[in-house]
Amino acid sequence: SLFPHPSTGILHLQPLYAPDHCWEFGRRIVVSTPTPPNHKHVPVLLVAMNNPRTTGANPGSAANPMPLMTQTDSRDKWSKKMDFLLSVIGFAVDLGNVWRFPYICYQNGGGAFLIPYTLMAVFGGVPLFYMELALGQFHRTGAIPIWKRICPIFKGIGFAICIIGLYVSFYYNTIIAWALYYFYSSFTSSLPWTSCDNPWNTPNCTNYFGKNNVTWSNFSKSPAEEFYMRKVLEIQKSSGLYDVGGIRWQLLLCLLLIFTIVYFSLWKGVKTSGKVVWVTATLPYVVLLILLIRGATLPGAWRGVVFYLRPNWEKLLSTVWVDAAAQIFFSLGPGFGVLLALASYNHFNNNCYRDAIVTSVVNCLTSFLSGFVIFTVLGYMAEMRDVEVEDVAKDKGPSLLFITYPEAIANMMGSTFFAIIFFLMVITLGLDSTFGGLEAVITAIVDEYPHILAKRRELFVLGLITMCFLGSLTTLTHGGAYVVKLLEEFGAGCSILAVVLLEAIAVSWFYGIQRFCNDVKSMLGFAPGMFWQVCWVAISPAFLAVSIVLPSWGSPPLMLFDYQYPEWSISVGYLIGASSFICIPVYMVYKLVWTPGSLKQRLAECIRPEKTIRDQPAESVSMSPVP
């Protein structure tokens, strides 16, 4: 590989790890190297190099070194290493770290849950995270065309990933739009969810803060709950999925603004998104720290922390292990194609092993920190209501972000300030994940059809964003929250776990664990140890298989706001999940049918990588002058 000298800037030739990563044509060696910025040609300082495949056969080769032809690479690169790290952290650290992990933690034994969570992270989540980063960085292509270089018969995985990414964009950005509505509503001296004197409130509205002798019953509704349900969603105008009602134009404008931000962050590729994440990935940590300090000073905060961390060892004998596996896989995000896409813009010798460890640890610690931020406030609410923390902590998912926490903020000193920064944090957490999810789809499709889309990225991104916006319209109706819940449950549930399972099997068993380790060694200079190999071949796939099978047995009925989903909607949900996964067997059949030869020859051809490692289009090859 070629690398610039730190003082002179002249590119020096460094022998690659394996001679197979140079391609020999007669007596020429083709070396892959990125083109320096603002240079049409690559100045190369040639140094002595012996080719082990020719020096033995031709004793005079040392005296007559073979001419080198450099191969330019027009693929974008991250401007800085931190652009990549912040992008990966921003994708992995999302809204689920704030609303899902604290709820699952206390529900599954508090401090005892940290044991299965850590084990699942070490033996399941982190190895798959590392695998995807290494695959993307080595093959430097998106989730669809990468399978030509690994195992062509599994190319349907790439199409499934893109469909799942679209389903997620249909509902995830609506949640960010809700946060934007709250953000706009927070710019008042008195927050609108503080009192029960608003037009949308009902007789059941009960404001217990700052008042004595207030009775809280099962029918009582807090001002924050009625603001969310009756003002933001206007869900009272919908009777369920049979009648979702009209579109909320205020939410439509919020979603339009969100997608506008997303478009101008992605339209130029990693050059623009890499700069935006410096704000969207770092701001949440500043806000979390501020909210943690404020929460720790509230009366009753200690009750929430004790409830959060108090271990219940009996839970370790239940399904807590499945919950831990699902949480770590969804939190780190392997299988969505995002890590493949982001890593594909790295330099070939980037230390992706260190990146995987750092970003995984940051992600897990952020989840743990978010638990303190949430439960100090829940303890405060329990103190104010004079009830147990368990009675306050019933809400999960979006309700935790849009009902429970805003309710506590509304009764703090400086409530307007804390509401503004809290919902700004929610928006930035969501945007980071949206950037990653859509970049995975963009990279996969553009790399699959480069001759059509490579020079038309701006128009393609505009078309994709428009499709996502139109697909989100049903989630903006009065009953849109029911649609969001349905898509969240089935759009990226078992289907994404099945995709990750097949991906691990394809790489470890068909491509070959030894070949994959050699690829990693050619990039990093050292091969993955036995621990990583065992995890990739056996342990991680086993965890995934268990996480897919067990939750399907005896799952409770799907409900939201006391509304039980009808049977037909559950069937629709299963169809949504199957519509992405079905791409995998359909492509397998297509590949086998269209490949010539006997069945044995077809199978052999379909599992053999089609492309030479890291080869480039012929038009990217050019001669470089030697100064």
Side-chain angles (χ1 to χ4, degrees), residues 145-158:
I146 194 174
W147 292 101
K148 296 178 182 178
R149 308 179 180 197
I150 298 175
C151 189
I153 200 171
F154 284 98
K155 189 177 179 180
I157 290 177

Side-chain angles (χ1 to χ4, degrees), residues 38-69:
N38 304 321
H39 285 74
K40 294 183 179 179
H41 299 285
V42 185
V44 179
L45 177 63
L46 295 180
V47 296
M49 184 180 92
N50 292 327
N51 184 357
R53 290 180 291 182
T54 59
T55 51
N58 184 6
S61 59
N64 299 291
M66 291 173 291
L68 292 175
M69 181 172 64

Side-chain angles (χ1 to χ4, degrees), residues 5-235:
H5 191 277
S7 60
T8 64
I10 298 177
L11 294 180
H12 289 254
L13 181 65
Q14 175 179 308
L16 296 172
Y17 161 70
D20 286 342
H21 295 135
C22 291
W23 303 280
E24 183 177 350
F25 300 102
R27 294 191 61 190
R28 295 183 301 174
I29 297 285
V30 180
V31 182
S32 176
T33 174
T35 305
N38 304 321
H39 285 74
K40 294 183 179 179
H41 299 285
V42 185
V44 179
L45 177 63
L46 295 180
V47 296
M49 184 180 92
N50 292 327
N51 184 357
R53 290 180 291 182
T54 59
T55 51
N58 184 6
S61 59
N64 299 291
M66 291 173 291
L68 292 175
M69 181 172 64
T70 64
Q71 182 180 31
T72 62
D73 182 5
S74 59
R75 188 175 186 83
D76 285 343
K77 296 289 189 303
W78 295 102
S79 300
K80 297 179 181 178
K81 175 65 176 288
M82 283 302 298
D83 292 358
F84 166 69
L85 288 177
L86 290 176
S87 296
V88 174
I89 291 172
F91 162 71
V93 178
D94 66 347
L95 297 176
N97 293 75
V98 178
W99 82 44
R100 188 178 291 117
F101 177 83
Y103 176 82
I104 290 180
C105 184
Y106 89 77
Q107 188 184 46
N108 289 282
F113 175 76
L114 298 179
I115 296 176
Y117 179 77
T118 303
L119 291 176
M120 291 297 176
V122 171
F123 292 99
V126 178
L128 293 173
F129 194 89
Y130 178 23
M131 172 185 281
E132 278 213 0
L133 287 182
L135 284 172
Q137 182 171 305
F138 184 82
H139 295 285
R140 299 181 59 198
T141 189
I144 296 177
I146 194 174
W147 292 101
K148 296 178 182 178
R149 308 179 180 197
I150 298 175
C151 189
I153 200 171
F154 284 98
K155 189 177 179 180
I157 290 177
F159 293 105
I161 287 172
C162 291
I163 294 175
I164 292 172
L166 290 177
Y167 286 152
V168 172
S169 71
F170 290 165
Y171 75 85
Y172 195 81
N173 293 285
T174 298
I175 298 176
I176 307 175
W178 295 346
L180 183 59
Y181 187 93
Y182 269 87
F183 179 73
Y184 168 77
S185 303
S186 300
F187 285 90
T188 58
S189 56
S190 178
L191 296 176
W193 58 86
T194 304
S195 67
C196 294
D197 303 326
N198 303 290
W200 57 82
N201 292 127
T202 66
N204 289 328
C205 182
T206 305
N207 188 5
Y208 56 89
F209 281 91
K211 298 180 180 180
N212 298 322
N213 302 322
V214 175
T215 303
W216 187 267
S217 68
N218 292 332
F219 300 100
S220 299
K221 303 291 184 182
S222 68
E225 183 175 355
E226 293 205 340
F227 176 79
Y228 174 57
M229 296 181 62
R230 301 182 61 83
K231 175 61 176 174
V232 179
L233 302 179
E234 292 189 356
I235 204 166

